[in-house]
Amino acid sequence: MVIDGQTFPRDKVCAGWITPPVVDLLDFDADAYRNGGRVMQPITSFRTGLIGGGSTVIDYGEAVSHAIRRFEFDHYLLAGSGVRLRLGEPVKKIERQTGGWLVNGTIRTPLIVGAGGHSCPVARLLGANPGRGEAAVVAQEVEFELDAARQQECRVSGAMAELYFCRDLAGYGWCVRKGNHLNIGLGRQPGYGVASHVEGFVRWLQQEKRIPTRKIPAKMHGHAYLLYDAPGRTLIDDGVLLIGDAAGLACHESGEGIRAAVESGLLAASVILDAGGDYRRSQIEDYPRQLEACLGRRSRSVERRRKVPEWISSSLLGMPWFARHMLLDRWFLRRHQKPLRLGSPR
Ligand SMILES: Cc1cc2nc3c(=O)[nH]c(=O)nc-3n(C[C@H](O)[C@H](O)[C@H](O)COP(=O)(O)OP(=O)(O)OC[C@H]3O[C@@H](n4cnc5c(N)ncnc54)[C@H](O)[C@@H]3O)c2cc1C
């Protein structure tokens, strides 16, 4: 059973950029998805650079990512999942009982999978303390429909996602066009104030005439989440495990979290099936190990990269070789990583 505090379709604060492993792992039927009038925009190139500086265009000549709208994507996946749904019902109370759990005083279950995002109540049950003491990235975005006049003015094209880094490399902004919708946002490392950077970023995009100069017709929304580099949360206990943002798994280089949510969900499902109804900690403790085999060992590379002097980072980002092979291939598209194969961890 899936319990979600919201009813679907619902918005999720997200740019909606997905990489090929997400499409492959979900066995996603792109034609069926698009036939329903949903947007799945192929991204074949990137414009990258520094906010306030120059930029370079890297063209792959084929789709290396897609842009979807979470409003549509999440609803589609949920509707196709075939599971029992309890929607519009926030999880408020989780009590341990003999042989399992009692959720909200009405639902008995031997196993809970915490998939409630950064502030997941199941993660709190395992000791997570979102908002206090956790070094979460904070990101803001807005997604809005371009009217005819704004479409004329908008120079961001669907096939080319635009990524612009803050000078201190503590975050980056993006512009992604999905059909008639435009998504603009910026995320930053903890403690490096996001709101003023978002304002400056939007102003700069308008000065550069990349986006319509008239006022953005919707409000920015913010959300926090943990990158895989942050000190990890406790992932399992008797009859409980965490996946996705609840587990704090987003890619430490790019902030991509959908892929890790899908990978962790599939790994968790496989471990749960193998446990054969006995969900004691000892029976599911392969899950953190498999996750580490899939996502790699936690490291501190973001901290290290942020200490790179600005003049070096700005000149590197302006070099097409660096933008293509390091920034995009390695950090954003992670083309060097083998796709997840269940039963044979990387
Ligand atoms: C501004 C921004 C932009 C981003 N852009 C990208 C991107 O382009 N590509 C990418 O890969 N990642 C991106 N991410 C990260 C990505 O959005 C997350 O990593 C991903 O959504 C995690 O999925 P999840 O299913 O774990 O959690 P979520 O998508 O957060 O889903 C959690 C669900 O739990 C429900 N829930 C929460 N609390 C309760 C409760 N108490 N009771 C019941 N239900 C509850 C919520 O309603 C929600 O439906 C972005 C994040 C931000 C903030």
Side-chain angles (χ1 to χ4, degrees):
M1 175 187 282
V2 168
I3 311 172
D4 200 293
Q6 302 216 34
T7 53
F8 286 65
R10 60 102 177 87
D11 259 325
K12 156 77 183 84
V13 180
C14 185
W17 158 63
I18 55 171
T19 46
V22 173
V23 178
D24 295 344
L25 288 168
L26 291 174
D27 210 2
F28 202 74
D29 184 344
D31 291 335
Y33 186 75
R34 291 195 184 100
N35 281 344
R38 290 166 281 257
V39 182
M40 188 174 173
Q41 167 67 55
I43 296 173
T44 57
S45 57
F46 292 84
R47 180 187 288 277
T48 64
L50 277 182
I51 298 172
S55 62
T56 182
V57 170
I58 305 297
D59 189 354
Y60 285 86
E62 59 175 347
V64 288
S65 288
H66 285 89
I68 48 82
R69 299 187 61 220
R70 292 291 297 267
F71 185 78
E72 298 169 349
F73 186 72
D74 293 18
H75 186 216
Y76 177 82
L77 292 181
L78 191 60
S81 68
V83 298
R84 281 182 295 158
L85 301 175
R86 291 274 283 255
L87 303 181
E89 179 175 340
V91 169
K92 292 193 171 148
K93 198 167 175 195
I94 306 171
E95 297 163 89
R96 201 179 265 287
Q97 295 199 325
T98 316
W101 304 93
L102 183 65
V103 179
N104 286 354
T106 57
I107 303 161
R108 275 179 218 288
T109 173
L111 173 77
I112 299 181
V113 177
H118 182 60
S119 300
C120 178
V122 188
R124 289 175 194 273
L125 189 79
L126 293 186
N129 207 351
R132 285 188 213 111
E134 282 188 335
V137 156
V138 180
Q140 289 189 358
E141 61 90 34
V142 62
E143 187 163 290
F144 59 95
E145 193 165 1
L146 295 161
D147 56 26
R150 285 188 172 89
Q151 275 180 45
Q152 290 259 311
E153 258 192 285
C154 184
R155 284 169 60 199
V156 178
S157 85
M160 189 192 297
E162 307 203 2
L163 307 171
Y164 300 102
F165 286 76
C166 302
R167 285 197 174 268
D168 59 3
L169 288 196
Y172 71 92
W174 63 84
C175 260
V176 183
R177 181 151 177 190
K178 312 163 187 182
N180 281 345
H181 286 84
L182 189 64
N183 187 302
I184 304 168
L186 184 143
R188 284 191 49 89
Q189 289 286 311
Y192 289 78
V194 76
S196 59
H197 284 270
V198 174
E199 263 178 55
F201 178 51
V202 170
R203 228 181 5 254
W204 176 71
L205 288 171
Q206 288 176 327
Q207 276 160 14
E208 294 290 303
K209 301 213 175 346
R210 301 237 41 91
I211 63 170
T213 45
R214 268 161 312 135
K215 193 169 178 291
I216 291 177
K219 273 177 73 173
M220 287 274 172
H221 292 284
H223 195 69
Y225 63 119
L226 291 174
L227 301 182
Y228 190 59
D229 252 30
R233 289 180 170 178
T234 302
L235 298 186
I236 58 164
D237 202 346
D238 286 330
V240 55
L241 47 78
L242 303 181
I243 62 172
D245 275 6
L249 305 179
C251 171
H252 53 259
E253 311 287 5
S254 64
E256 179 189 16
I258 299 171
R259 174 173 168 181
V262 170
E263 289 176 329
S264 58
L266 289 170
L267 283 174
S270 134
V271 168
I272 290 166
L273 287 174
D274 285 350
D278 177 355
Y279 305 121
R280 281 172 301 161
R281 190 191 160 87
S282 56
Q283 299 305 108
I284 55 174
E285 67 188 5
D286 211 28
Y287 171 63
R289 276 200 291 271
Q290 288 197 26
L291 206 52
E292 189 171 289
C294 171
L295 301 178
R297 299 192 60 178
R298 289 179 194 268
S299 65
R300 299 255 154 239
S301 53
V302 172
E303 268 302 314
R304 283 200 300 274
R305 205 170 65 246
R306 212 167 57 214
K307 288 182 186 132
V308 174
E310 272 179 35
W311 67 270
I312 296 186
S313 56
S314 48
S315 36
L316 280 177
L317 280 170
M319 288 165 54
W321 185 93
F322 184 85
R324 160 96 199 223
H325 296 287
M326 225 35 222
L327 180 72
L328 293 172
D329 282 356
R330 203 161 179 90
W331 294 342
F332 274 70
L333 300 171
R334 289 186 283 158
R335 294 182 125 197
H336 58 290
Q337 273 188 358
K338 289 198 199 110
L340 170 67
R341 294 262 175 271
L342 291 171
S344 58
R346 281 175 281 196

